[in-house]
Amino acid sequence: MTTGKRPLSPHLQIYRPQITSVLSILHRMTGFALSIGVGVLVFWLAALSVGGGLLSELHYFFGTLLGNFVLLGFLFCFVYHFLNGVRHLFWDAGIGLEISSVNKSGWAIISATVLLTIGIWFCIGGF
Amino acid sequence: MSWHQKNPLQGSLARVRGLGSAHEGAGHWWSQRISAVALTFLSIWFVYFLNLLPLSADAHTVQIKVLSLLQSPWIASLLTSFVIVSIYHGFLGIQVIIEDYIHSEMLKWLILVFVKLLFGILGLVGIVAVLKMAL
């Protein structure tokens, strides 16, 4: 059986992006990023428990513009994955599965993600 | 996950119980959902915890604050729980991604073992770090 060059369903490259598919892909991407984020969190906790130069350098990096950008990215991933995850839990309970509700909750989550990301960023200190 | 079928440590009864198209029943699905529900609470607490820290101050000030907060067994337990459940939920998610995109059984198995070890070590380091500060 030759399996090398056959295209795989669902043919993402020729499929018109829809709010359902885009948000679904984003859920997986933010989840992947957050797995790296939890690695950073553990590294930070380890540095906090040891202290010294490593901790200072870590804090220095996350205080730079690039570091801020990385943290803001993790916060965005967290807020989106959280909200969309709750949406998934409602779907699992059979709530909100009609396509009109799915579209509505999708847009609600996009707006809530933007607002909460900015809100939490400034609340926590924005570095 | 057809490599599960070849698991020599699994008896016939365990194999039969895990039938279904995924060969392992709904166990993974449930674990992902239950850890997700736990994380809705734990992650809100974690944002609250971060908010207690003077994060715009220098590293040493933050360290002193974290150490003093972790003297509370509640905070130490909640932080440990957040780290462990996050790592568990993250591993379950990464596992699905690997199973979806890596089509070679051997490579899939190797990467899954490697990632499981990596996440296991990450969890241990997290626990040790929090306990070292708490005790």
Side-chain angles (χ1 to χ4, degrees):
Chain A
M1 191 168 78
T2 51
T3 52
K5 283 175 184 158
R6 279 190 290 175
L8 289 165
S9 173
H11 312 292
L12 289 177
Q13 64 280 9
I14 56 159
Y15 212 87
R16 187 168 64 87
Q18 296 163 65
I19 184 166
T20 42
S21 61
V22 170
L23 293 189
S24 171
I25 294 163
L26 197 59
H27 194 72
R28 182 165 276 202
M29 281 167 57
T30 53
F32 185 79
L34 286 169
S35 292
I36 298 167
V38 79
V40 174
L41 170 66
V42 168
F43 188 69
W44 179 57
L45 289 173
L48 275 171
S49 75
V50 177
L54 180 68
L55 182 67
S56 313
E57 278 167 35
L58 197 64
H59 272 248
Y60 171 77
F61 169 72
F62 283 112
T64 62
L65 192 65
L66 176 67
N68 268 237
F69 189 72
V70 172
L71 288 177
L72 188 60
F74 280 139
L75 180 62
F76 162 79
C77 291
F78 166 72
V79 173
Y80 175 76
H81 199 86
F82 179 98
L83 294 173
N84 199 51
V86 170
R87 192 164 72 127
H88 264 283
L89 290 173
F90 275 103
W91 287 339
D92 293 337
I95 300 164
L97 282 167
E98 293 77 23
I99 197 70
S100 58
S101 327
V102 171
N103 287 336
K104 255 182 260 172
S105 60
W107 285 112
I109 271 166
I110 293 171
S111 345
T113 300
V114 174
L115 289 174
L116 272 174
T117 303
I118 297 170
I120 296 173
W121 180 254
F122 285 109
C123 213
I124 285 181
F127 294 82
Chain B
M1 297 236 300
S2 58
W3 51 273
H4 254 186
Q5 291 173 296
K6 295 166 199 149
N7 185 351
L9 297 174
Q10 199 179 36
S12 337
L13 182 61
R15 203 170 298 143
V16 157
R17 277 186 180 143
L19 280 180
S21 61
H23 306 295
E24 56 160 24
H28 184 284
W29 189 91
W30 266 116
S31 304
Q32 206 168 25
R33 266 64 189 178
I34 288 168
S35 56
V37 173
L39 278 175
T40 57
F41 299 103
L42 288 170
S43 58
I44 289 174
W45 173 82
F46 181 67
V47 172
Y48 164 76
F49 172 76
L50 284 181
N51 202 27
L52 295 175
L53 304 178
L55 288 173
S56 35
D58 64 304
H60 191 62
T61 315
V62 176
Q63 191 191 22
I64 289 168
K65 182 68 179 173
V66 172
L67 281 170
S68 76
L69 285 171
L70 286 177
Q71 296 313 299
S72 151
W74 294 103
I75 294 183
S77 306
L78 279 165
L79 188 58
T80 313
S81 307
F82 174 68
V83 169
I84 295 307
V85 181
S86 295
I87 287 172
Y88 180 58
H89 186 79
F91 173 73
L92 292 173
I94 298 287
Q95 186 187 351
V96 174
I97 294 177
I98 292 166
E99 286 166 2
D100 278 357
Y101 300 134
I102 312 286
H103 300 298
S104 147
E105 287 295 316
M106 189 59 193
L107 188 63
K108 186 191 289 181
W109 185 84
L110 277 173
I111 294 175
L112 280 172
V113 169
F114 174 75
V115 172
K116 198 165 202 169
L117 274 171
L118 197 70
F119 276 64
I121 292 166
L122 202 63
L124 285 173
V125 173
I127 293 171
V128 169
V130 174
L131 285 183
K132 187 172 182 291
M133 289 187 279
L135 296 174

